[in-house]
Amino acid sequence: MERRVLAYIREQNMIPRGSKGILAVSGGADSMCLMHVLHRIGEEMDLCLTVCHVIHGIRGEEAEEDAAFVRETAERLGLECRIFRRDVPRLAEEEGLSTEEAGRKARYACFEELREETGADWIALAHQMDDQAETVLFHILRGTGLRGLRGMQPVRERYIRPLLPFSREEIEAWLRSEGLEWRTDSTNLESEYARNRLRNLILPELCRVNSCAKEHLLLLAKEAEELYDIQEAETDRLRDRCRYTAEDGTVLSFREWEESGKPLMRIDIPDVSEEPGKGTATVTGELLLQELARLAGQRKDLTRKHILAVQELWGKETGKRVDLPYGLEAVRTHRGITLRKHASVSPTEKPELQLHVERREYLPGEEIPADEERKMIDAAAVKGMPRLRTPMPGDRIMIDGRGSTKPLNRFFTDRKIPAEERTDWPVVADEEKILWVVGLRLSECCKVTEATKEIYLLYIGE
């Protein structure tokens, strides 16, 4: 086992000689194999290893026994061991996560904390071949493309997976042959969590249908890896035509933005619907996924349904839009599709502006503010909460009591607002319409009347 793991480490360029590493050890068979094997390899490669174990605050005494087992084993091997305690149920409640998601977030936070303390170069995880099959299946069920079909990568930034080519069966067989013990987490036998349902219920049923189901999932992951490289090259070629707008209003190419270190405000993707070879669904879908993740700073909740919804915009008229996770939206423009932070984002040229909102009962006869930085509007006319944003394609403002509206661009033209100032002009809107073009006009749709019961007081300030 040691020779095979070492060969895989070298093949994947996982661990430099003389480096520092963290071993994520739960006490289960896979992580105990990881600890013992890397300890033996570590002597040959002059490695400095630290064991990390996390108590999740879920299993009570059983978890304490697991932690003691990991610590005692690490000490026998002469390895430093750090035990972290985290209240995962509370984290899940506070952040609106499942217990499974909160547990993963807590573990990785502990790994990173220990890495910073020790100056470790890498963090080793004990995922193996069966975990890989489960991951590929999970991604398929959740909705994924080639990237997700690849499953877990042997090396991802600082994280490495030295046991990925080995099955759970051969890992346990090796531990038994070496007379090594491991612990069994009782929650792994339950089917409350998504991963456990796949492991305990779904995959066994698939293997009854076809005894090679796991192997086929792994072959699919390998083929997806090769195809993804091709897709990635095509995606990069398409990306070269995109333009990025930073929060200070600077328009950059991808290469320029990457070098600038500036945070993004929006991404303009050219119309590719008529370009053979560049407008294929797989390439544009991957581009959209990557750029939405870049804009959001994360990608976990971005799924195939979101990408398909954005792709459909290429066949729609200018101004159509799609709301997306992480406060993002996609808008069809006459040039293509704009991905941008949601309408609640402050104007790019005036990032210091903020909208202050107060809702209260309207007192008949009270003075209505007349200045351009404060407004009073009828709360009943507002859908959702008023929010400060910048103009977007399709925006209109109501100009009279009969309900007549005017395109915001035409309104700006009538007011002789220079074209270069319109993109970032502050406006206040609800979920459907413009309420106030700051400094210019309040929409007729939300003005206070004798029938008004409640009001919003709006104030623009720093």
Side-chain angles (χ1 to χ4, degrees), residues 309-337:
V310 177
Q311 286 178 311
E312 289 175 359
L313 287 176
W314 265 300
K316 297 184 178 180
E317 64 270 21
T318 298
K320 290 296 183 180
R321 66 191 67 185
V322 172
D323 287 326
L324 299 163
Y326 306 122
L328 302 180
E329 61 187 349
V331 183
R332 182 59 160 113
T333 69
H334 68 282
R335 298 188 192 93
I337 290 177

Short mmCIF file of all heavy atoms in Angstrom, two decimals, residues 309-337:
data_model
loop_
_atom_site.label_atom_id
_atom_site.label_comp_id
_atom_site.label_asym_id
_atom_site.label_seq_id
_atom_site.Cartn_x
_atom_site.Cartn_y
_atom_site.Cartn_z
N ALA A 309 -31.42 28.80 -18.02
CA ALA A 309 -32.27 29.99 -17.99
C ALA A 309 -31.56 31.19 -18.59
O ALA A 309 -32.16 31.99 -19.32
CB ALA A 309 -32.71 30.30 -16.56
N VAL A 310 -30.26 31.32 -18.30
CA VAL A 310 -29.49 32.43 -18.87
C VAL A 310 -29.30 32.22 -20.37
O VAL A 310 -29.43 33.16 -21.17
CB VAL A 310 -28.13 32.57 -18.17
CG1 VAL A 310 -27.30 33.67 -18.81
CG2 VAL A 310 -28.33 32.88 -16.69
N GLN A 311 -28.99 30.99 -20.79
CA GLN A 311 -28.80 30.72 -22.22
C GLN A 311 -30.04 31.05 -23.04
O GLN A 311 -29.94 31.49 -24.19
CB GLN A 311 -28.40 29.26 -22.42
CG GLN A 311 -26.95 28.98 -22.00
CD GLN A 311 -26.60 27.51 -22.18
OE1 GLN A 311 -27.33 26.63 -21.74
NE2 GLN A 311 -25.47 27.25 -22.82
N GLU A 312 -31.21 30.84 -22.45
CA GLU A 312 -32.46 31.14 -23.15
C GLU A 312 -32.62 32.62 -23.46
O GLU A 312 -33.38 33.00 -24.36
CB GLU A 312 -33.65 30.63 -22.33
CG GLU A 312 -33.76 29.11 -22.29
CD GLU A 312 -34.87 28.63 -21.39
OE1 GLU A 312 -35.55 29.50 -20.77
OE2 GLU A 312 -35.07 27.41 -21.27
N LEU A 313 -31.90 33.47 -22.70
CA LEU A 313 -31.99 34.91 -22.95
C LEU A 313 -31.49 35.28 -24.33
O LEU A 313 -31.90 36.30 -24.89
CB LEU A 313 -31.18 35.68 -21.89
CG LEU A 313 -31.77 35.74 -20.48
CD1 LEU A 313 -30.81 36.46 -19.55
CD2 LEU A 313 -33.12 36.46 -20.48
N TRP A 314 -30.58 34.48 -24.92
CA TRP A 314 -30.07 34.80 -26.24
C TRP A 314 -31.18 34.78 -27.30
O TRP A 314 -31.06 35.40 -28.34
CB TRP A 314 -28.95 33.84 -26.63
CG TRP A 314 -27.58 34.40 -26.32
CD1 TRP A 314 -27.04 35.54 -26.82
CD2 TRP A 314 -26.60 33.86 -25.44
NE1 TRP A 314 -25.78 35.75 -26.30
CE2 TRP A 314 -25.48 34.73 -25.45
CE3 TRP A 314 -26.54 32.72 -24.64
CZ2 TRP A 314 -24.33 34.49 -24.71
CZ3 TRP A 314 -25.40 32.49 -23.90
CH2 TRP A 314 -24.31 33.37 -23.93
N GLY A 315 -32.26 34.08 -27.02
CA GLY A 315 -33.37 34.03 -27.97
C GLY A 315 -34.50 34.99 -27.63
O GLY A 315 -35.56 34.94 -28.25
N LYS A 316 -34.26 35.90 -26.66
CA LYS A 316 -35.31 36.81 -26.23
C LYS A 316 -34.94 38.26 -26.54
O LYS A 316 -33.81 38.57 -26.91
CB LYS A 316 -35.58 36.63 -24.74
CG LYS A 316 -36.12 35.24 -24.41
CD LYS A 316 -36.48 35.10 -22.95
CE LYS A 316 -37.08 33.71 -22.68
NZ LYS A 316 -37.44 33.55 -21.26
N GLU A 317 -35.93 39.14 -26.38
CA GLU A 317 -35.71 40.54 -26.72
C GLU A 317 -34.90 41.25 -25.65
O GLU A 317 -34.80 40.80 -24.50
CB GLU A 317 -37.05 41.26 -26.94
CG GLU A 317 -37.95 41.35 -25.72
CD GLU A 317 -38.90 40.17 -25.61
OE1 GLU A 317 -38.62 39.10 -26.21
OE2 GLU A 317 -39.92 40.30 -24.90
N THR A 318 -34.34 42.39 -26.04
CA THR A 318 -33.55 43.21 -25.13
C THR A 318 -34.36 43.60 -23.89
O THR A 318 -35.52 43.94 -23.99
CB THR A 318 -33.07 44.48 -25.86
OG1 THR A 318 -32.25 44.09 -26.96
CG2 THR A 318 -32.28 45.38 -24.93
N GLY A 319 -33.72 43.52 -22.75
CA GLY A 319 -34.37 43.91 -21.49
C GLY A 319 -34.84 42.75 -20.66
O GLY A 319 -35.08 42.91 -19.46
N LYS A 320 -34.99 41.56 -21.26
CA LYS A 320 -35.40 40.39 -20.48
C LYS A 320 -34.29 40.02 -19.51
O LYS A 320 -33.11 40.17 -19.80
CB LYS A 320 -35.70 39.21 -21.40
CG LYS A 320 -36.95 39.39 -22.24
CD LYS A 320 -38.20 39.46 -21.36
CE LYS A 320 -39.46 39.58 -22.20
NZ LYS A 320 -40.68 39.65 -21.37
N ARG A 321 -34.66 39.51 -18.34
CA ARG A 321 -33.67 39.23 -17.32
C ARG A 321 -34.02 37.99 -16.52
O ARG A 321 -35.16 37.53 -16.53
CB ARG A 321 -33.51 40.42 -16.39
CG ARG A 321 -34.72 40.72 -15.54
CD ARG A 321 -34.57 42.05 -14.86
NE ARG A 321 -34.59 43.14 -15.84
CZ ARG A 321 -34.38 44.40 -15.54
NH1 ARG A 321 -34.10 44.74 -14.31
NH2 ARG A 321 -34.43 45.34 -16.46
N VAL A 322 -33.01 37.45 -15.83
CA VAL A 322 -33.18 36.26 -15.00
C VAL A 322 -32.50 36.51 -13.66
O VAL A 322 -31.35 36.96 -13.62
CB VAL A 322 -32.53 35.02 -15.67
CG1 VAL A 322 -32.54 33.83 -14.71
CG2 VAL A 322 -33.25 34.66 -16.97
N ASP A 323 -33.21 36.26 -12.57
CA ASP A 323 -32.61 36.35 -11.23
C ASP A 323 -31.85 35.07 -10.93
O ASP A 323 -32.31 33.96 -11.24
CB ASP A 323 -33.70 36.57 -10.17
CG ASP A 323 -34.26 37.97 -10.22
OD1 ASP A 323 -33.50 38.90 -10.54
OD2 ASP A 323 -35.47 38.14 -9.95
N LEU A 324 -30.71 35.20 -10.29
CA LEU A 324 -29.80 34.08 -10.05
C LEU A 324 -29.37 34.06 -8.59
O LEU A 324 -29.54 35.06 -7.87
CB LEU A 324 -28.58 34.20 -10.96
CG LEU A 324 -28.88 34.18 -12.46
CD1 LEU A 324 -27.69 34.71 -13.25
CD2 LEU A 324 -29.24 32.77 -12.92
N PRO A 325 -28.78 32.95 -8.14
CA PRO A 325 -28.28 32.90 -6.74
C PRO A 325 -27.20 33.94 -6.49
O PRO A 325 -26.62 34.51 -7.42
CB PRO A 325 -27.71 31.48 -6.63
CG PRO A 325 -28.41 30.69 -7.69
CD PRO A 325 -28.65 31.66 -8.82
N TYR A 326 -26.91 34.16 -5.22
CA TYR A 326 -25.86 35.06 -4.76
C TYR A 326 -26.12 36.51 -5.14
O TYR A 326 -25.19 37.30 -5.30
CB TYR A 326 -24.49 34.63 -5.29
CG TYR A 326 -24.15 33.19 -4.99
CD1 TYR A 326 -23.85 32.29 -6.01
CD2 TYR A 326 -24.12 32.74 -3.67
CE1 TYR A 326 -23.54 30.96 -5.72
CE2 TYR A 326 -23.81 31.43 -3.38
CZ TYR A 326 -23.52 30.54 -4.41
OH TYR A 326 -23.21 29.23 -4.13
N GLY A 327 -27.39 36.89 -5.32
CA GLY A 327 -27.69 38.28 -5.63
C GLY A 327 -27.26 38.70 -7.02
O GLY A 327 -26.97 39.88 -7.25
N LEU A 328 -27.22 37.78 -7.96
CA LEU A 328 -26.83 38.08 -9.33
C LEU A 328 -28.04 38.09 -10.25
O LEU A 328 -29.09 37.54 -9.92
CB LEU A 328 -25.83 37.04 -9.86
CG LEU A 328 -24.53 36.85 -9.07
CD1 LEU A 328 -23.68 35.78 -9.74
CD2 LEU A 328 -23.77 38.15 -8.96
N GLU A 329 -27.89 38.70 -11.40
CA GLU A 329 -28.92 38.65 -12.44
C GLU A 329 -28.26 38.71 -13.80
O GLU A 329 -27.15 39.22 -13.96
CB GLU A 329 -29.93 39.77 -12.26
CG GLU A 329 -29.35 41.17 -12.35
CD GLU A 329 -30.38 42.23 -11.99
OE1 GLU A 329 -31.56 41.90 -11.87
OE2 GLU A 329 -29.99 43.40 -11.84
N ALA A 330 -28.97 38.14 -14.78
CA ALA A 330 -28.52 38.18 -16.17
C ALA A 330 -29.53 38.99 -16.96
O ALA A 330 -30.74 38.81 -16.80
CB ALA A 330 -28.40 36.78 -16.74
N VAL A 331 -29.05 39.89 -17.84
CA VAL A 331 -29.92 40.78 -18.61
C VAL A 331 -29.57 40.67 -20.09
O VAL A 331 -28.39 40.72 -20.46
CB VAL A 331 -29.77 42.24 -18.15
CG1 VAL A 331 -30.73 43.15 -18.91
CG2 VAL A 331 -29.99 42.36 -16.65
N ARG A 332 -30.58 40.52 -20.93
CA ARG A 332 -30.35 40.50 -22.38
C ARG A 332 -30.18 41.93 -22.87
O ARG A 332 -31.01 42.80 -22.60
CB ARG A 332 -31.54 39.86 -23.10
CG ARG A 332 -31.39 39.75 -24.64
CD ARG A 332 -30.17 38.95 -25.01
NE ARG A 332 -30.21 38.43 -26.36
CZ ARG A 332 -29.41 38.82 -27.36
NH1 ARG A 332 -28.53 39.78 -27.15
NH2 ARG A 332 -29.49 38.25 -28.53
N THR A 333 -29.08 42.20 -23.53
CA THR A 333 -28.83 43.51 -24.12
C THR A 333 -28.77 43.36 -25.64
O THR A 333 -28.79 42.24 -26.15
CB THR A 333 -27.50 44.10 -23.63
OG1 THR A 333 -26.42 43.34 -24.17
CG2 THR A 333 -27.42 44.08 -22.11
N HIS A 334 -28.67 44.46 -26.36
CA HIS A 334 -28.63 44.35 -27.82
C HIS A 334 -27.31 43.77 -28.29
O HIS A 334 -27.20 43.31 -29.42
CB HIS A 334 -28.87 45.72 -28.46
CG HIS A 334 -27.77 46.71 -28.25
ND1 HIS A 334 -27.62 47.40 -27.06
CD2 HIS A 334 -26.77 47.12 -29.06
CE1 HIS A 334 -26.57 48.20 -27.16
NE2 HIS A 334 -26.03 48.05 -28.35
N ARG A 335 -26.29 43.76 -27.42
CA ARG A 335 -24.99 43.20 -27.80
C ARG A 335 -24.84 41.74 -27.37
O ARG A 335 -24.03 41.02 -27.92
CB ARG A 335 -23.86 44.00 -27.15
CG ARG A 335 -23.78 45.45 -27.57
CD ARG A 335 -22.52 46.09 -27.02
NE ARG A 335 -22.55 47.54 -27.17
CZ ARG A 335 -22.98 48.38 -26.26
NH1 ARG A 335 -23.45 47.90 -25.11
NH2 ARG A 335 -22.98 49.68 -26.45
N GLY A 336 -25.56 41.32 -26.36
CA GLY A 336 -25.40 39.96 -25.84
C GLY A 336 -26.09 39.81 -24.51
O GLY A 336 -27.26 40.13 -24.37
N ILE A 337 -25.34 39.34 -23.51
CA ILE A 337 -25.89 39.14 -22.17
C ILE A 337 -24.97 39.79 -21.15
O ILE A 337 -23.74 39.62 -21.21
CB ILE A 337 -26.06 37.64 -21.85
CG1 ILE A 337 -27.20 37.07 -22.70
CG2 ILE A 337 -26.36 37.43 -20.38
CD1 ILE A 337 -27.41 35.59 -22.51
#
